[in-house]
Amino acid sequence: MARAALASLLPEVTYFTCRARTGWDQAARCGRRQPVGSARGDRRLRPLGEGRIPAVVSHGRAATMALLLRFVLLCGVADFTRGLSITTPEQMIEKAKGETAYLPCKFTLGPEDQGPLDIEWLLSPADNQKVDQVIILYSGDKIYDDYYQDLKGRVHFTSNDLKSGDASINVTNLQLSDIGTYQCKVKKAPGVGNKKIQLTVLVKPSGTRCYIDGSEEIGNDFKLKCEPKEGSLPLRYEWQKLSDSQKLPASWLPEMTSSVISVKNASAEYSGTYSCTVRNRVGSDQCLLHLDVVPPSNRAGTVAGAVIGTLLALVLIALIVFCCHKKRREEKYEKEVHHDIREDVPPPKSRTSTARSYIGSNHSSLGSMSPSNMEGYSKTQYNQVPSEDLERAAQSPTLPPAKVAAPNLSRMGAVPVMIPAQSKDGSIV
């Protein structure tokens, strides 16, 4: 109602104010004209109140004052009857990654706002496909801040007494995922209010590297480059010479604000120390570069030295490989010889085996003897075995020779043989 009354009074206040400033005889300039004319239908326009200016002046001033008074009273009543409202304007905030963002939300309450106080912060992510997320809530004199896992432990109310009218929050250790629109909602029935804050998280330039792309020789063309490892766009570059005359070549000036400087036909005057500063809206970073332009080197000698060095390195590598291979072969041969069993050398014959073979030969000769001479031959032959051999043969676990009867020998096909007897001195009897 207050707003409707003010809207209806505004044209009147504007009209009377205009007439008071321009003069009552110039009322036509304030937007009101009325048709006047003669009986013959003259439709000429003339300002309202023409011909009665003195009487209208005092009346107009009084009416203007009355309207102004009514306007002030209505404004006061409207302000007095206003309920809950958030006084913080909507805004955009830019912060660097890792910093803390302060999101303000201050409110006032009206006398009719008697309900419980509820404060709610919502996040609308930059990705429109994601739904709004509640990040922190105050209700029933309790704070709940574990709704959104990505911000858990990083969002807090700045005031210990939220009823005092401060619902601002801090978001610590900002990440790129925190980019979005944050909305503060305050409810205290019947009053309701909300405000939105746009938060943008930028990355400071860091890890900037300066280097030379090309050969730093007199007369050559090369480039000076400045590259940050990370940093939010847009980035601004600034080159400076820190040594010597600190005067940059005129041909470089158009590129002093870019990331690359193209050097043409380099001379010794270009030598020195240069700095490159990279900036964006939240921070800056710097790197240094030392340029030393030298006369051209003997490239033929350099190439020859490189070839000779490469060949020597290859020869050295081949020699090392050969030595290692030879050593391994020797170690392998020693292991094979150590574990080899030589079979070409027969084992030594024992005296016992000799005796056994001797006795065995005597046994084999029994088959050709006659029964009559067999006993004497056996005694004679055994008497010829050396005593040492007989002792070893007696100690051996061989079985005594079996005696074969004469009839059995005949069946076996033995042929009797006549052996002349000999005396002790060797003569035949």
Side-chain angles (χ1 to χ4, degrees):
M1 294 179 63
R3 292 181 179 178
L6 290 175
S8 62
L9 290 175
L10 185 59
E12 296 293 333
V13 173
T14 304
Y15 174 72
F16 282 103
T17 304
C18 176
R19 293 190 63 179
R21 289 179 178 178
T22 59
W24 294 99
D25 56 342
Q26 301 294 330
R29 299 181 182 178
C30 298
R32 286 193 179 182
R33 295 179 181 228
Q34 63 179 14
V36 294
S38 61
R40 290 179 298 180
D42 188 3
R43 304 298 295 175
R44 290 182 301 108
L45 298 179
R46 65 175 181 176
L48 180 66
E50 184 178 354
R52 42 192 179 91
I53 294 176
V56 174
V57 171
S58 59
H59 175 72
R61 291 179 179 177
T64 301
M65 295 300 295
L67 289 174
L68 291 175
L69 180 60
R70 290 173 61 186
F71 178 76
V72 172
L73 291 176
L74 287 174
C75 289
V77 171
D79 185 72
F80 178 77
T81 59
R82 184 176 57 187
L84 187 150
S85 64
I86 297 179
T87 59
T88 302
E90 295 186 355
Q91 54 188 298
M92 296 182 62
I93 297 176
E94 287 185 349
K95 287 291 183 179
K97 179 182 176 182
E99 294 183 348
T100 298
Y102 169 72
L103 307 183
C105 181
K106 296 184 178 181
F107 61 92
T108 58
L109 300 174
E112 70 278 10
D113 299 327
Q114 300 296 329
L117 178 62
D118 293 333
I119 300 174
E120 183 181 54
W121 277 89
L122 301 174
L123 169 60
S124 300
D127 186 357
N128 295 328
Q129 296 180 356
K130 296 182 179 180
V131 298
D132 294 352
Q133 299 286 340
V134 178
I135 60 175
I136 193 169
L137 175 67
Y138 173 81
S139 180
D141 295 334
K142 292 184 179 180
I143 297 175
Y144 305 91
D145 57 358
D146 56 352
Y147 286 97
Y148 190 44
Q149 291 297 323
D150 291 350
L151 283 173
K152 186 176 181 179
R154 296 194 294 121
V155 57
H156 313 281
F157 283 109
T158 59
S159 176
N160 295 326
D161 184 13
L162 299 179
K163 296 180 180 179
S164 62
D166 188 1
S168 305
I169 61 172
N170 280 333
V171 181
T172 61
N173 190 21
L174 288 173
Q175 303 297 321
L176 295 179
S177 59
D178 299 338
I179 298 175
T181 302
Y182 292 76
Q183 184 176 7
C184 174
K185 288 185 177 181
V186 181
K187 303 177 183 177
K188 189 173 178 63
V192 178
N194 66 85
K195 287 291 181 181
K196 294 182 179 181
I197 297 176
Q198 182 71 34
L199 176 63
T200 302
V201 180
L202 302 177
V203 180
K204 293 180 179 180
S206 63
T208 305
R209 184 172 69 100
C210 295
Y211 64 97
I212 301 172
D213 184 7
S215 177
E216 309 170 52
E217 295 181 354
I218 296 176
N220 283 359
D221 297 342
F222 52 85
K223 295 180 180 180
L224 309 182
K225 293 188 176 182
C226 177
E227 296 179 355
K229 186 177 181 180
E230 59 179 2
S232 297
L233 300 176
L235 296 173
R236 291 172 293 144
Y237 298 86
E238 182 181 355
W239 288 87
Q240 290 182 345
K241 188 175 183 182
L242 304 180
S243 59
D244 300 334
S245 62
Q246 298 185 357
K247 184 179 180 181
L248 296 171
S251 60
W252 293 14
L253 296 179
E255 298 180 336
M256 295 308 296
T257 57
S258 64
S259 60
V260 179
I261 295 179
S262 299
V263 180
K264 303 293 184 180
N265 192 19
S267 64
E269 298 177 354
Y270 295 171
S271 299
T273 302
Y274 296 83
S275 69
C276 174
T277 305
V278 187
R279 292 188 176 89
N280 63 7
R281 293 196 296 267
V282 293
S284 63
D285 192 28
Q286 188 182 64
C287 64
L288 298 178
L289 182 147
H290 181 71
L291 177 62
D292 187 13
V293 182
V294 297
S297 59
N298 186 0
R299 298 191 177 183
T302 303
V303 173
V307 172
I308 294 174
T310 303
L311 293 177
L312 291 177
L314 292 176
V315 171
L316 181 60
I317 293 173
L319 182 61
I320 293 174
V321 172
F322 175 75
C323 294
C324 293
H325 181 67
K326 184 178 179 181
K327 186 175 181 181
R328 289 183 179 177
R329 289 186 60 185
E330 292 177 354
E331 292 178 354
K332 183 178 180 181
Y333 178 76
E334 290 178 359
K335 291 180 180 179
E336 290 179 355
V337 171
H338 180 72
H339 295 289
D340 187 16
I341 299 176
R342 298 186 179 181
E343 298 180 355
D344 56 345
V345 180
K349 294 182 180 181
S350 63
R351 301 295 293 259
T352 305
S353 62
T354 306
R356 289 179 182 176
S357 62
Y358 182 78
I359 296 171
S361 65
N362 290 337
H363 278 252
S364 63
S365 63
L366 292 176
S368 61
M369 292 182 180
S370 63
S372 59
N373 296 329
M374 185 174 180
E375 183 177 357
Y377 179 79
S378 300
K379 292 180 181 180
T380 304
Q381 295 297 325
Y382 275 102
N383 290 334
Q384 294 178 3
V385 178
S387 61
E388 183 180 357
D389 293 341
L390 288 174
E391 290 177 0
R392 293 185 180 180
Q395 294 176 1
S396 63
T398 57
L399 297 175
K403 294 182 179 182
V404 182
N408 293 334
L409 291 174
S410 299
R411 295 191 192 100
M412 296 171 61
V415 179
V417 178
M418 182 68 73
I419 300 175
Q422 295 180 355
S423 62
K424 292 182 180 181
D425 55 358
S427 60
I428 299 175
V429 179

